[in-house]
Every structure is written in structure tokens, then in C-alpha cells.
């Protein structure tokens, strides 16, 4: 009996030693990692794919929409922030609502005080600062959502990526979410072309071709599963959903689909369980 009790205690101690570093966001592992942040970044990988592209005069966001069941509507993935900025999300939608409300408040306060739009870089920096506080306070958790921010200011069009670690990066183009590697391959192949594209329609067509590569082989982009958002030097942030997207889908009809080979994604099961968007 004493041997059994001692063995149970040792086993429990081994299990506690293995898991004690991911119980709270303030605990570092011996390898210098914060596991809670890594788990939040996994939630982004399980959300529906979205991507952003920056052209010469415009920034474009496109996103796959997902419905939790056949009886529900598709989840909104592109969110307007101000006349000059908007975001698309991959991850927990509830966390995205909190951050989008914060971003709107920051833009509104700046317009009220200074009478001008908030620069995109300062907006993204303020979101990063807010997200970082959740990574160093006991009892809180990181935001489990990745944001692509498209905006335009005096410096021109911008695309930023904000990840759950509270790091943010300005990008020529970026894709996040489930199966987004296929989209990134397309973007890397054509990234040098985007900066010279002046036509908004051509830029949206590039974005939709990249997004289509994230789909399984037997699935196509339709007006029901894709959203488009864009902003430019002389164009306020605009969202296109449902039938409004059809004109852009016609631009890529007949083009060869490069990706979509991995129809059975091992992350897809967890994706539905997590209810990430």
C-alpha cells in the first residue's frame, strides 16, 4: 500500500511538472516560452483564412466566411473601423469584437480632439499595447484572434498584421488562418507586382486568387462564403458581401486553381470545435 501511494504521488508530481508552465500567462517555461500565448496563436491558425494586399493606391482585405451550421448565417469576418481603416479577423470572434470596439473608440477620440483621422501606425501600436497587458497580468489571457489591418493615411496604403503575442508587422501582403500557407505561396510568388498595381479591381482579383487556394479541392469561392473590403487614397473603407462580390468573382472565372490539394486538413476538426472564425 505504501509503495502504491508513493508511486501515485510520483506520477502526479511528474504530471504537474509537465503542465505547470501553461497554467497561467505569467509563467515562463525553462525553454523561455509562454505557452498560453502559443495556444492563442494556434487559435488563429484554426480560424477561417483571410488575407490582405497593399497596392500602389489601395489596400484590400478578403476573407472566407464560415457558418456554424446550415441553419445559421455566415459569420462576419471584415469589420469597418473608420473611413480610412478596417480589419479582417481569424480566431475567436468575441475577442475580435472587443478589439474592434477599442479601435473605433481610438479613432473617434482622435477625430474629436484633433479633427483628423488617426494614422494607421498609431492605431496599430495602440492595439498592440492593449493586447500586451493581457500577457503579463495573472488571471488574464491573450486575445485569441489575429487581425489584418488595412488602412490609408498621408504615408499611403498600409497592411498590418497583429498577432496574439501583441507583436505587429507592416506587410506588403499577408495571409492568416487555416490552410493559409497556400495563399502565402501565391502572395510570395507575386509580391513584387502588388506595389505597382494601380487598378483596384486587379488588386482584388489577386487577393481572391490567393484566397481560393486556401479552399479544399472540391470547394469554390461563392458570394456566400467570401467578403471583400478595400480602402484607398480617394476611397473610403468599403465592404462587399453577398451579391456585391459577384462582379469580382467573375474576374477570376476560368483561372487555374493552384492550391486546395489538402482537402483533409487535420486542423479542421479542432477548428469547428473551437468555434473560431
Amino acid at each position: 500500500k505504501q509503495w502504491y501511494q508513493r508511486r501515485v504521488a510520483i506520477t502526479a508530481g511528474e504530471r504537474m511538472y509537465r503542465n505547470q508552465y501553461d497554467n497561467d500567462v505569467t509563467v515562463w517555461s525553462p525553454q523561455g516560452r509562454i505557452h498560453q500565448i502559443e495556444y492563442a496563436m494556434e487559435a488563429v491558425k484554426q480560424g477561417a483564412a483571410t488575407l490582405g494586399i497593399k497596392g500602389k493606391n489601395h489596400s484590400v482585405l478578403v476573407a472566407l466566411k464560415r457558418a456554424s451550421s446550415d441553419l445559421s448565417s455566415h459569420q462576419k469576418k471584415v469589420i469597418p473601423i473608420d473611413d480610412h481603416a478596417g480589419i479582417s479577423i481569424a480566431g475567436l470572434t468575441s475577442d475580435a469584437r472587443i478589439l474592434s470596439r477599442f479601435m473605433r473608440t481610438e479613432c473617434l477620440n482622435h477625430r474629436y480632439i484633433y479633427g483628423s483621422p488617426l494614422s494607421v501606425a498609431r492605431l496599430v501600436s495602440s492595439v498592440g499595447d492593449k493586447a500586451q497587458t493581457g500577457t503579463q497580468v495573472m488571471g488574464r489571457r491573450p486575445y485569441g484572434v489575429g487581425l489584418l489591418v488595412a488602412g490609408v493615411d498621408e504615408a499611403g496604403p498600409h497592411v498590418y498584421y497583429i498577432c496574439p503575442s501583441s507583436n505587429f508587422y507592416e506587410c506588403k501582403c499577408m495571409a492568416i488562418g487555416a490552410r493559409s500557407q497556400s495563399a502565402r505561396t501565391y502572395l510570395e510568388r507575386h509580391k513584387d507586382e502588388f506595389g505597382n498595381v494601380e487598378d483596384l479591381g486587379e488588386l482584388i482579383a489577386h487577393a481572391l486568387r490567393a484566397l481560393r487556394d486556401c479552399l479544399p479541392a472540391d470547394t469554390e469561392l461563392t458570394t456566400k462564403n467570401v467578403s471583400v473590403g478595400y480602402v484607398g487614397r480617394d476611397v473610403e473603407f468599403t465592404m462587399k458581401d453577398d451579391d456585391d462580390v459577384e462582379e469580382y468573382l467573375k474576374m477570376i472565372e476560368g483561372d487555374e486553381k493552384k492550391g486546395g490539394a489538402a482537402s483533409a486538413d487535420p486542423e479542421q476538426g479542432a477548428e469547428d470545435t473551437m468555434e473560431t472564425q
Side-chain angles (χ1 to χ4, degrees):
K1 184 178 180 180
Q2 291 179 349
W3 175 85
Y4 175 76
Q5 291 175 340
R6 186 162 58 251
R7 181 57 189 168
V8 169
I10 292 174
T11 304
E14 291 175 348
R15 189 181 303 113
M16 182 180 297
Y17 181 80
R18 284 198 303 268
N19 297 334
Q20 64 181 333
Y21 300 111
D22 64 356
N23 291 332
D24 198 272
V25 74
T26 61
V27 179
W28 291 86
S29 75
Q31 291 77 31
R33 298 160 61 185
I34 301 179
H35 292 291
Q36 288 284 331
I37 294 178
E38 296 180 8
Y39 299 159
M41 296 176 74
E42 286 298 318
V44 175
K45 295 179 182 179
Q46 295 173 9
T50 180
L51 63 91
I53 295 179
K54 177 177 66 175
K56 188 172 184 179
N57 298 313
H58 304 87
S59 293
V60 171
L61 298 172
V62 295
L64 290 174
K65 297 188 293 186
R66 179 183 300 142
S68 58
S69 73
D70 294 337
L71 303 178
S72 67
S73 62
H74 287 79
Q75 182 65 49
K76 188 176 180 181
K77 289 292 299 290
V78 179
I79 303 173
I81 299 299
D82 201 353
D83 291 343
H84 70 299
I87 64 172
S88 62
I89 65 172
L92 296 177
T93 311
S94 54
D95 286 0
R97 287 201 306 268
I98 298 298
L99 291 176
S100 64
R101 189 180 303 122
F102 169 78
M103 295 172 75
R104 287 172 178 157
T105 302
E106 290 293 297
C107 290
L108 182 62
N109 289 340
H110 192 277
R111 280 188 181 273
Y112 180 77
I113 296 172
Y114 299 104
S116 62
L118 180 61
S119 71
V120 182
R122 288 187 60 186
L123 175 62
V124 170
S125 178
S126 64
V127 177
D129 292 342
K130 178 178 176 63
Q132 198 275 336
T133 59
T135 67
Q136 62 180 22
V137 179
M138 183 175 294
R140 298 184 64 180
R141 65 167 176 80
Y143 291 100
V145 63
L147 304 180
L148 290 179
V149 183
V152 65
D153 53 27
E154 295 178 352
H158 303 276
V159 170
Y160 283 88
Y161 170 48
I162 308 174
C163 73
S165 65
S166 74
N167 287 323
F168 53 88
Y169 314 91
E170 184 169 12
C171 314
K172 293 180 179 179
C173 47
M174 186 63 181
I176 59 176
R179 306 188 185 96
S180 59
Q181 181 57 51
S182 297
R184 285 196 292 272
T185 300
Y186 178 95
L187 296 176
E188 289 169 1
R189 188 181 303 126
H190 298 277
K191 66 179 184 299
D192 294 332
E193 304 174 17
F194 301 146
N196 299 320
V197 175
E198 298 184 11
D199 181 62
L200 176 60
E202 183 180 351
L203 199 63
I204 294 176
H206 272 298
L208 290 175
R209 291 187 190 101
L211 187 69
R212 184 177 57 183
D213 288 349
C214 300
L215 292 170
D218 57 347
T219 307
E220 292 292 337
L221 291 178
T222 67
T223 57
K224 298 299 182 183
N225 66 2
V226 66
S227 293
V228 176
Y230 56 83
V231 65
R233 295 180 187 271
D234 54 353
V235 180
E236 294 184 354
F237 187 83
T238 305
M239 287 177 51
K240 298 288 187 180
D241 278 306
D242 300 327
D243 294 338
D244 294 335
V245 182
E246 187 173 2
E247 61 177 303
Y248 301 114
L249 294 177
K250 289 181 178 179
M251 298 173 64
I252 63 171
E253 283 184 356
D255 292 352
E256 183 182 357
K257 187 175 180 181
K258 302 296 184 183
S263 59
D265 193 325
E267 292 182 348
Q268 183 65 32
E271 192 174 317
D272 295 334
T273 304
M274 288 282 293
E275 296 184 356
T276 52
Q277 300 290 345

